[in-house]
Amino acid sequence: MAHIRQDTGNNGQISYDTSIVAGIVAIAVEQVQGAYPLNTKNKGIKLTFDKKSGISADIAVKVDSCENVTKIAYQIQQSIKHNVEAMTKFKVNKVDVHIQDVNLKPAAAV
């Protein structure tokens, strides 16, 4: 497993396993109503870390058919940025959201 290190000055370093950061990303997606991580065990999540620009994420998701896709994608980006930065203190450079599937809800009975 790859590790991402964060220098904390004189106190040493904090090391995050990339699967931990991917787990934070998956939780962030689940917090958006109408959006779901595409795969289990973080397989729909690709993270790239750059010391200068921060974390970049590619996320594959499934959305409910009755939702506005543009609005959902924006909410996912904001949720990921907020959660990763709050939980790890790393900056999120960009989040690319790929809508890979649609959850078709049955039509309401008339």
Side-chain angles (χ1 to χ4, degrees):
M1 293 279 169
H3 294 276
I4 302 171
R5 288 184 170 56
Q6 182 177 27
D7 188 4
T8 59
N10 295 333
N11 296 329
Q13 291 184 343
I14 298 172
S15 178
Y16 298 93
D17 188 281
T18 53
S19 66
I20 298 300
V21 179
I24 293 169
V25 169
I27 290 169
V29 172
E30 291 171 352
Q31 290 177 344
V32 176
Q33 185 176 347
Y36 313 92
L38 189 59
N39 293 324
T40 58
K41 298 188 180 182
N42 305 329
K43 292 185 180 183
I45 299 169
K46 179 183 174 192
L47 300 173
T48 307
F49 179 76
D50 182 283
K51 290 181 182 181
K52 292 180 183 176
S53 62
I55 295 175
S56 297
D58 279 308
I59 313 301
V61 298
K62 181 177 186 176
V63 297
D64 287 338
S65 62
C66 62
E67 299 292 337
N68 179 316
V69 175
T70 304
K71 183 178 176 182
I72 291 266
Y74 178 76
Q75 290 173 342
I76 290 169
Q77 289 171 324
Q78 295 305 306
S79 181
I80 290 171
K81 181 173 175 55
H82 170 77
N83 281 289
V84 171
E85 290 180 355
M87 294 175 147
T88 68
K89 304 297 182 196
F90 281 112
K91 294 295 178 193
V92 175
N93 179 38
K94 71 174 183 172
V95 177
D96 293 329
V97 179
H98 305 277
I99 309 299
Q100 297 281 320
D101 199 3
V102 176
N103 184 25
L104 300 174
K105 292 186 176 184
V110 178

